[in-house]
Amino acid sequence: MKVINEVTGILNLLYTHGWDERNGGNLSYILEEEEVKSVCDPNVVLRTFEYDFDMTSIIGKFFIITGTGTYFKNMVAAPEVNLGIIKIIDKSHAALVWGYSEGGRPTSESPTHLQCHIERLKQDPNHRLVIHCHATNVICMTHVCPLDSNFFTEKLWKMQTESIVVFPEGVAVLPWILCGGTQIGIETANLMKEYRSVIWAQHGIFCTGKTLDEVFGLIETIEKAAEIYMKVYDKKIYQSITNENLIEIAQAFKIDYRHGIID
């Protein structure tokens, strides 16, 4: 059950940081078959779920996914109620092999998660994880800033020295779109061709990566930069990180950052 403990630990951290109130936010994580076997028999199908998009490229993959309506604060105490492990069995169906023990089902945003996994695996075969959370200051920025990816990227890069190191590709931004539907999944996944992080205006952020630590750290860094921005953006600024400073950081750390923003 090591993988269950690792996942519920991260979910609890997201909750205690205040980014996943009530039933807000969701997570999906690709599991190796051996990890699944440590939890359950991967060949026993409990139920199936249908999706309205083509999942051919991820047939055979296992995902642990938070359940719809579940609270992150309850994950540690009752993982089998609030989490489920599914296997993609054909281009439009997934089989439940563990979890959702009280009749639950995958988060309503699981179509967006799975579409993002499909796209990120094309970019990085080691990709495993998608986390969506309601990072407070990121949401605040979407109320007071132009909803432009380059604008957000430049501001977040300039708030602290580590930003360009942690997310050199920048962040993408989408205007408000109804959550849980097909459109937001398609548009988010399309941006995942170039970005690991997509901000949903007045809603939150989707972040992706290889490991739980990597993605949690990505969210932490973006949210910290957004917090700094919200604390100083309406004040007189005497000094800040310049374009030249960012380029110097990138050269020192041998970072291939997104061009056309600061140069």
Side-chain angles (χ1 to χ4, degrees), residues 138-145 147 152 201-203 230:
V138 169
I139 296 173
C140 289
M141 282 187 69
T142 69
H143 286 274
V144 300
C145 296
L147 299 179
F152 267 71
Q202 293 83 53
H203 187 148
M230 291 306 303

Side-chain angles (χ1 to χ4, degrees), residues 52-53 111-112 115 177-188:
D52 64 355
F53 58 93
T112 299
Q115 289 174 82
I177 303 171
L178 181 65
C179 59
T182 301
Q183 181 190 0
I184 198 166
I186 292 171
E187 296 203 25
T188 304

Side-chain angles (χ1 to χ4, degrees), residues 19 135-142 144-145 152-153 155-160 162-163 167 171 199 205 218-233:
W19 302 334
T136 308
N137 291 283
V138 169
I139 296 173
C140 289
M141 282 187 69
T142 69
V144 300
C145 296
F152 267 71
T153 294
K155 296 303 181 185
L156 293 171
W157 278 353
K158 288 183 174 179
M159 289 303 101
Q160 56 187 357
E162 70 171 343
S163 285
F167 51 101
V171 297
I199 293 169
I205 190 167
L218 179 60
I219 296 168
E220 281 185 305
T221 307
I222 294 171
E223 170 63 5
K224 172 61 74 65
E227 180 182 4
I228 296 168
Y229 179 84
M230 291 306 303
K231 287 181 174 178
V232 305
Y233 85 98

